[in-house]
Amino acid sequence: MFVKFCLQHKRLLLHLIFWGICLTILTFMFAVGLPGYFLAFKLVLMLFPIHVAYYYTVSTVIIPKFLYRRHFIALALSFILACAFFTCCYRLIEILFADPYLFKQLKPLNPGFKWKKIEGTISEQFFNGQYMIHALEQSNSIIWGGLLIKFVGMWYDRKQMALNSELNFLKAQIHPHFLFNTLNNLYALTLNNSPASPKVVLDLSQILRYMLYECNTDYVPLKKDVEVIKNYIALEQLRYGDKLDLNLKIKGEITGQQIAPLLMIPLIENAFKHGASEMIEEAWINIVLEVEPNAIKLKVSNSKPLEKHQGHRSHFGKIGLANVRKRLELIYPETHHFTVHDEEDLFAVILHIESISNVSASSKVKNTPIHSSFTKLTVENKGL
C-alpha cells in the first residue's frame, strides 16, 4: 500500500524530500553560534515560507511564462523584481519576528547583552544596507540550488526525449526495410505460382504483428525476438530452398532475458540480401547465437561472390547495418562490441552485448530446449 502511494505521488514526495533536506541544512547553518538546534529550527521555520514562495514563484510562474517562450528581457526583469521583493519580505520577517524572538531567547543568558541589529526604528533597520545584503544572501541561498536541480532535470528529460525520438525513428526504418525485402520474396514466389505463397503471407503477418504491437517498448523478451528471427529465416528458406546451405546454432537458455527489439534481424537480413541473393551457387549462411544470463553474442557469416569483391560496396554501408550500429550506440553505449569482417570469400558480423536485462523469475515461461549442434533448417507446415 505504501509503495503504491509513493508511486502515485512520486513528484510530491520528491518535493517534500527536497524541502526536508533544505530545512535540515538551514537549521545546521543557523545553529552555529546559537545555544541549541531547536532554537535554530524555530528561527528557520519563521523564514522558511519565503524560500518556498520564492522558489515556486520562479519555477512555476516566471520560468514557464518567459523562459519557455524565449522572452529573455522579461525573464531577466522578472528575476530582478522577484529577487528584490522576496529579499524585502525576508528582511521584514527578520525585523518583525525572527530577530526580536532571538533577542528575547538570548537576553536571559546574558543580561547585559545588546544587539545592534535590532536597534532603531523599523524603517532604520529595514534600510540598513549591511543587513539588507545579508537578507539578499540568505533569501537566495536555497532557490538557486533548487533551480539548478530543476534545470538539470529539464536537461535530462529533453535528452531522453531526443534519444527516444531518434530510437523510434531508427526502429521505424526497420519496418519498411524489412517489409520491402519480404514482399520481394513473396513476389518471386507468386510469379511461379508457388503453393508456399499463403504460408509466406501468414508468417509475414505474424512478424508484422510483432513489429507493430509488441516492439513499442524499450525491451522485449529475447525469446520473442528469436522467434521472429526463426519466422524470417523460414520465409527466406522458402525462397531459396536447396540452393542455400543455411545453418543455425543457438547455445544457452533464451527464456528470462530482455533485449532491445529488432537488433539482430537486420544482421541476418543483410546476410540474405547481400550474400545468398547475389550468388548463383554454393551460397551458405551460418548463424550462431550464444546466450548467457547477462550477455549475448551473435555471429552471422555468409558467402559472397568472388567476382564482385573488387570494387563491390561494403556490406557495412547498407542501411540495415548502419541502423544497427547507431541503435547500439544509443541503447548500449558502453556495453557492446560490434565488429565487421569483410574477407575475400565471406562476410561476417559479430555482435556482443555484455549487459542485457533480466525479467523476474515469476514471469519466465518454459521454453523448449534448443539443440546446440548445427542443423540443416527445413520448413514444415507449422514453421521451422
Side-chain angles (χ1 to χ4, degrees):
M1 189 69 179
F2 177 74
V3 175
K4 183 178 180 180
F5 175 84
C6 292
L7 292 175
Q8 291 176 345
H9 301 85
K10 181 180 178 181
R11 184 177 178 85
L12 174 62
L13 289 174
L14 289 175
H15 280 254
L16 291 176
I17 292 171
F18 169 75
W19 289 117
I21 294 173
C22 292
L23 188 61
T24 303
I25 293 174
L26 288 176
T27 299
F28 277 95
M29 291 174 60
F30 271 66
V32 177
L34 294 180
Y37 289 101
F38 185 63
L39 175 60
F41 179 74
K42 288 190 287 186
L43 291 173
V44 169
L45 285 181
M46 293 180 188
L47 298 164
F48 202 65
I50 299 299
H51 295 290
V52 176
Y54 192 1
Y55 172 77
Y56 286 114
T57 299
V58 174
S59 65
T60 63
V61 178
I62 295 177
I63 289 178
K65 188 173 182 179
F66 300 115
L67 179 61
Y68 295 166
R69 298 177 183 178
R70 297 180 178 274
H71 298 162
F72 298 116
I73 296 178
L75 175 68
L77 292 175
S78 299
F79 268 128
I80 294 172
L81 290 175
C83 181
F85 175 77
F86 286 104
T87 299
C88 293
C89 291
Y90 191 95
R91 184 71 186 113
L92 283 173
I93 292 178
E94 279 188 322
I95 294 171
L96 297 176
F97 302 102
D99 290 348
Y101 177 79
L102 178 58
F103 180 77
K104 183 179 179 181
Q105 299 297 317
L106 295 178
K107 185 69 174 177
L109 301 177
N110 184 6
F113 175 67
K114 292 183 179 181
W115 195 11
K116 185 179 179 181
K117 187 177 181 182
I118 63 172
E119 294 177 355
T121 63
I122 292 178
S123 60
E124 289 175 342
Q125 294 181 51
F126 182 80
F127 289 106
N128 186 303
Q130 177 184 352
Y131 297 122
M132 184 63 75
I133 292 175
H134 180 265
L136 174 66
E137 295 173 350
Q138 292 295 319
S139 62
N140 284 274
S141 61
I142 295 298
I143 181 174
W144 297 110
L147 290 179
L148 177 61
I149 295 173
K150 181 179 178 66
F151 285 134
V152 170
M154 290 168 57
W155 170 81
Y156 178 78
D157 290 341
R158 285 177 175 269
K159 183 179 179 181
Q160 288 300 112
M161 289 174 62
L163 177 63
N164 290 334
S165 297
E166 186 170 3
L167 285 173
N168 289 333
F169 173 73
L170 292 171
K171 193 189 297 182
Q173 284 184 326
I174 297 173
H175 294 193
H177 191 231
F178 167 80
L179 182 60
F180 177 78
N181 292 338
T182 307
L183 288 178
N184 273 345
N185 296 348
L186 179 60
Y187 175 71
L189 292 173
T190 54
L191 285 179
N192 298 324
N193 295 321
S194 172
S197 299
K199 176 174 173 51
V200 173
V201 175
L202 179 61
D203 288 346
L204 178 59
S205 67
Q206 293 175 347
I207 294 174
L208 290 179
R209 185 181 300 111
Y210 171 76
M211 290 181 170
L212 293 174
Y213 299 110
E214 299 184 43
C215 289
N216 296 324
T217 58
D218 294 334
Y219 299 97
V220 296
L222 177 62
K223 179 182 177 182
K224 285 187 173 291
D225 228 44
V226 172
E227 288 174 354
V228 170
I229 289 174
K230 289 183 177 180
N231 288 336
Y232 175 75
I233 291 175
L235 292 177
E236 292 289 2
Q237 186 71 17
L238 282 172
R239 177 185 177 188
Y240 292 102
D242 295 334
K243 295 187 296 183
L244 174 65
D245 182 15
L246 180 59
N247 298 285
L248 173 66
K249 182 180 182 181
I250 301 178
K251 294 181 178 179
E253 179 63 50
I254 62 172
T255 301
Q257 296 86 358
Q258 289 188 322
I259 190 174
L262 305 174
L263 269 178
M264 297 183 290
I265 196 169
L267 307 180
I268 298 170
E269 178 188 4
N270 193 76
F272 282 100
K273 183 177 180 182
H274 303 294
S277 65
E278 296 179 0
M279 296 190 66
I280 299 176
E281 57 184 10
E282 296 182 356
W284 56 266
I285 296 176
N286 290 332
I287 304 168
V288 182
L289 177 63
E290 299 178 6
V291 183
E292 299 177 3
N294 295 301
I296 65 166
K297 184 176 183 180
L298 174 69
K299 179 179 180 180
V300 182
S301 57
N302 61 269
S303 57
K304 41 187 293 196
L306 296 177
E307 63 274 11
K308 289 188 178 183
H309 178 69
Q310 297 297 329
H312 186 57
R313 186 182 178 185
S314 171
H315 285 54
F316 188 64
K318 303 300 181 180
I319 295 175
L321 295 183
N323 192 332
V324 170
R325 172 164 291 227
K326 183 62 176 178
R327 291 185 67 206
L328 286 169
E329 291 173 353
L330 293 172
I331 303 172
Y332 302 102
E334 302 294 336
T335 58
H336 81 275
H337 300 280
F338 184 59
T339 56
V340 178
H341 301 277
D342 194 354
E343 306 295 339
E344 183 177 356
D345 58 347
L346 68 87
F347 183 85
V349 292
I350 300 175
L351 170 61
H352 186 201
I353 301 177
E354 298 175 352
S355 178
I356 60 175
S357 303
N358 287 307
V359 296
S360 61
S362 61
S363 64
K364 292 184 179 181
V365 181
K366 276 192 173 183
N367 189 27
T368 305
I370 300 174
H371 297 292
S372 61
S373 59
F374 273 107
T375 57
K376 178 79 176 189
L377 289 172
T378 58
V379 179
E380 299 175 359
N381 290 333
K382 294 185 179 180
L384 288 177

